[in-house]
Amino acid sequence: GIQVEQSPPDLILQEGANSTLRCNFSDSVNNLQWFHQNPWGQLINLFYIPSGTKQNGRLSATTVATERYSLLYISSSQTTDSGVYFCAVDRPNTGNQFYFGTGTSLTVIP
Amino acid sequence: DAGVTQSPTHLIKTRGQQVTLRCSPKSGHDTVSWYQQALGQGPQFIFQYYEEEERQRGNFPDRFSGHQFPNYSSELNVNALLLGDSALYLCASSLFTMAANYGYTFGSGTRLTVV
């Protein structure tokens, strides 16, 4: 299967700081999504972004498919941003079988 | 509009037993995918059901089986439980023809502990 690596594995930020999370993948992908997993375990879809740049409020994401990486930017972080962020990709012709990275655990302190 | 509902939320089973987990997809969705998430890891794909058939399967043994009902709800069955099956089991629903554009909606999961 495809390898998905995320960095950094852990991140601690002061409230108000900015951060960049990175996702590298080892092969061509059909889709790429960013998720936030809250402390109760639920995965919330942040972005569907197989290529290009998207923004949603304080969050934005960029995927450079030709170089096999994606970045998630969090600006003016808040304590509610804490949790684990996952990148997930699926390969062409696999029927939306997503491969997840090991995640970045973010803690935002007041 | 109800999201994805999973039951039970927590479960404790003994090694060797069998377990059934249940999932009701988001209203309007017709496809259910199951994932296993071990502690500290990302979710791993188990299988996907559409039109009451298993369409895709990940690298999981035959002890893991599933079913989809005419109302699109789904069950995940695990036989002969091992300690290593302890994990959060996540269900995700999607619209088969649109999943490529909009991805999944996940439930909150079932936390299975095997003792």
Side-chain angles (χ1 to χ4, degrees):
Chain A
I2 191 169
Q3 304 302 313
V4 183
E5 296 180 351
Q6 292 186 241
S7 61
D10 299 282
L11 190 58
I12 300 175
L13 296 176
Q14 199 79 35
E15 198 169 27
N18 303 327
S19 61
T20 301
L21 282 56
R22 187 177 179 101
C23 171
N24 293 331
F25 42 96
S26 61
D27 206 344
S28 300
V29 299
N30 207 34
N31 299 308
L32 185 146
Q33 296 185 77
W34 283 97
F35 292 92
H36 175 223
Q37 189 167 40
N38 64 27
W40 298 272
Q42 184 150 18
L43 283 162
I44 307 297
N45 188 310
L46 299 175
F47 292 103
Y48 160 78
I49 185 166
S51 63
T53 297
K54 290 186 177 180
Q55 181 158 5
N56 184 3
R58 296 181 297 103
L59 303 181
S60 64
T62 295
T63 297
V64 184
T66 53
E67 298 186 21
R68 299 181 183 169
Y69 72 89
S70 183
L71 302 174
L72 177 69
Y73 306 96
I74 304 174
S75 64
S76 304
S77 58
Q78 301 175 357
T79 56
T80 52
D81 294 332
S82 297
V84 183
Y85 290 81
F86 288 102
C87 164
V89 301
D90 79 338
R91 302 179 66 183
N93 304 315
T94 61
N96 301 118
Q97 176 178 333
F98 278 88
Y99 297 86
F100 281 75
T102 51
T104 292
S105 178
L106 174 65
T107 303
V108 181
I109 55 178
Chain B
D1 185 17
V4 178
T5 305
Q6 292 188 242
S7 63
T9 55
H10 295 84
L11 200 54
I12 299 175
K13 288 288 190 178
T14 302
R15 192 171 40 181
Q17 285 188 316
Q18 178 264 345
V19 69
T20 298
L21 311 182
R22 295 176 176 81
C23 173
S24 293
K26 181 179 178 179
S27 177
H29 285 181
D30 57 10
T31 303
V32 173
S33 302
W34 287 92
Y35 284 78
Q36 180 195 66
Q37 186 178 17
L39 197 62
Q41 302 295 317
Q44 284 195 297
F45 178 81
I46 303 174
F47 42 52
Q48 181 184 81
Y49 277 84
Y50 170 66
E51 291 186 332
E52 301 179 49
E53 290 186 7
E54 182 182 291
R55 298 288 176 160
Q56 298 283 339
R57 188 177 183 94
N59 188 25
F60 279 80
D62 292 343
R63 297 187 298 109
F64 290 77
S65 63
H67 188 76
Q68 186 179 34
F69 299 94
N71 67 353
Y72 309 120
S73 66
S74 176
E75 289 182 348
L76 164 65
N77 301 294
V78 187
N79 294 323
L81 285 167
L82 304 174
L83 297 179
D85 295 332
S86 296
L88 179 68
Y89 288 85
L90 293 162
C91 169
S93 74
S94 56
L95 190 59
F96 191 79
T97 57
M98 297 296 287
N101 293 324
Y102 296 102
Y104 292 156
T105 299
F106 277 91
S108 296
T110 294
R111 175 76 61 186
L112 173 65
T113 303
V114 182
V115 297

